[in-house]
Amino acid sequence: MPSDAVPATSPAAPPGAFDRGLLAPVAVGHDELVSDDAVLAALVRAELGLVRAWEALGAVPADAADAIAAAWGADAGPEQPGPLAIEGAELAAASVGGGNPVIPLVSLLRLALVPGLRAWVHRGATSQDILDTALMLVSRQAVDAVLADLAEAEAALAAFAQEHRDVVAAGRTLAQQAVPTTVGRRAAGWLGGIRRARIRLQQLALPAQLGGAAGTRASFLELGGPAAAELPARYAEELGLDDAGAVWHTSRWPVTELADALAQTTDALGKLAGDVVTLSRTEIAELSAGAGGGSSAMPQKSNPVAAVLIRSAALRAPQLAATLHLCAALAEDERPAGAWHAEWPTLRELLRITLGASAHAARLASVLRVDREAVARNLALTNGLILAERLSLVLTPLIGAERVAALVAAAASGADAAALIAALPEADGLDIPALLEPANYIGDAAAAVDRVSGKVES
């Protein structure tokens, strides 16, 4: 390709692109931040960030650094750089020979400069420094987008939980009705899980990488003298990333901690989605999620597609995170052979599906609706047996466990529970209607809603 005027890449997938999301609909429209173009832009930002870090130490003249930035059409600030004069598909093909895209990229970046500037490109760095840093840049933007979606979902769920704070519903354990709960308490559970995931994402360290050939930083000290000891911190600062202090070429905690936080996020979103799928079943119908998706064969259906797509991400994320842990455990010597390479697409896919899941969750939370009649109908299905635990607690001291068991069995066979209790001499004085009122046996459900939904943070 020409060294001075290579066509700019486009954020849209070109004809013949391998992956447009045809088999990953959860991510369609939400994965541009982790596209090949985004990674390529981050690689250039990482290289320019190194030039700027050397400049900050006084090693590179300011006018030289500015000329390099202008020639590359990029900037080392935290925002996404402009169009890149590098064709991603050709760079990908050229990366096969060396096993990573940084090697051919450095050659192209040098060729784009006048000879006097080329010595400042990739000065002292190794390919892993640039690629690790670029992936952290991409991750930072992706995590920020996920955080925005989670905050939106939290706000919607907090309002939903408060609106339905006192709507008594059938609680279910092991797929069967158990004891009463409230719609708001269930929503507070979704909200709490999403909030914890958001907090964990906010606490992540996403560091720059700068270790040199084998992690000793010898090249930087050789080129820059004692002052170059400050270079890693300056590099992180230039790129808006964290300074890890130590080199993490084979200590892959930034990747695994990120993976764990992303998996926790999809876990929390998957819980929301799973409950929506169950509670929107035709025969339950307690929840609806706006206009659903249709069926190719059954025109009457309104499928909870957003929830389905979120679940698809939640089912995949743990295995992707596990792969990244395996890669970390097998990061041998001072540069992993294969384990490092396996991280790249795995981390990108995990970011990709989390971006999609969080975007769908934000919308899903905003359109959730409750059918209160269906909730009440389902609550009454067991003819009062949903309060069997309460009856046991109240009546056992009066009539003993065996007689309580017999009473519950009779009620399960169709007898009227209120009449059975009223016939007990020992129950004289009990307020039977109050005893059999589900709303009187919801524990601290209302307080739990208030605690969780009153702490929404932007």
Side-chain angles (χ1 to χ4, degrees), residues 177-178 379-389 391 411 415 417-418 435-436 438:
Q177 288 199 8
L379 182 64
L381 283 176
T382 62
N383 193 30
L385 286 180
I386 197 166
L387 290 162
E389 180 186 67
L391 295 179
L435 180 65
L436 293 174

Side-chain angles (χ1 to χ4, degrees), residues 25-31 33 141-154 156-157 194 197-198 201 261-262 264-270 272-273 306-307 309-314 317 350-366:
V26 65
V28 173
H30 306 292
D31 55 0
L33 291 176
Q141 292 195 346
V143 167
D144 286 346
V146 170
L147 286 170
D149 286 334
L150 295 184
E152 186 177 338
E154 280 187 56
L157 288 176
I194 291 172
R198 176 178 58 79
L201 286 171
L262 295 172
Q264 180 174 342
T265 299
T266 58
D267 288 349
L269 299 179
L272 163 65
L309 294 180
I310 294 167
R311 288 193 83 187
S312 76
L350 182 52
L351 289 165
R352 181 190 191 196
I353 63 174
T354 307
L355 281 163
S358 64
H360 285 291
R363 180 185 177 279
L364 176 63
S366 71

Side-chain angles (χ1 to χ4, degrees), residues 152-344:
E152 186 177 338
E154 280 187 56
L157 288 176
F160 180 91
Q162 277 294 327
E163 180 182 355
H164 302 95
R165 173 181 181 271
D166 302 313
V167 178
V168 182
R172 298 173 177 89
T173 62
L174 302 181
Q176 303 296 304
Q177 288 199 8
V179 295
T181 184
T182 67
V183 174
R185 177 64 187 86
R186 185 176 285 131
W190 304 331
L191 175 59
I194 291 172
R195 176 170 298 144
R196 287 188 67 85
R198 176 178 58 79
I199 291 171
R200 188 170 186 186
L201 286 171
Q202 288 175 327
Q203 293 173 341
L204 283 172
L206 298 176
Q209 176 82 278
L210 200 60
T216 64
R217 294 175 172 164
S219 57
F220 303 114
L221 294 173
E222 183 72 18
L223 291 167
E230 298 180 25
L231 190 67
R234 296 288 187 133
Y235 185 49
E237 182 180 357
E238 288 291 336
L239 294 171
L241 293 173
D242 296 302
D243 177 16
V247 176
W248 49 279
H249 283 169
T250 54
S251 179
R252 307 303 289 168
W253 62 266
V255 175
T256 55
E257 289 185 6
L258 171 59
D260 289 343
L262 295 172
Q264 180 174 342
T265 299
T266 58
D267 288 349
L269 299 179
K271 166 58 178 169
L272 163 65
D275 281 352
V276 170
V277 167
T278 296
L279 296 172
S280 63
R281 288 176 181 270
T282 306
E283 58 271 28
I284 298 177
E286 294 179 11
L287 282 182
S288 63
S295 164
S296 62
M298 295 165 286
Q300 83 280 7
K301 295 188 71 180
S302 180
N303 299 318
V305 174
V308 170
L309 294 180
I310 294 167
R311 288 193 83 187
S312 76
L315 290 168
R316 294 182 62 202
Q319 287 74 31
L320 292 168
T323 296
L324 293 170
H325 277 281
L326 181 61
C327 293
L330 297 180
E332 82 289 359
D333 299 327
E334 280 64 57
R335 179 77 53 80
W340 174 52
H341 304 71
E343 282 182 359
W344 316 334

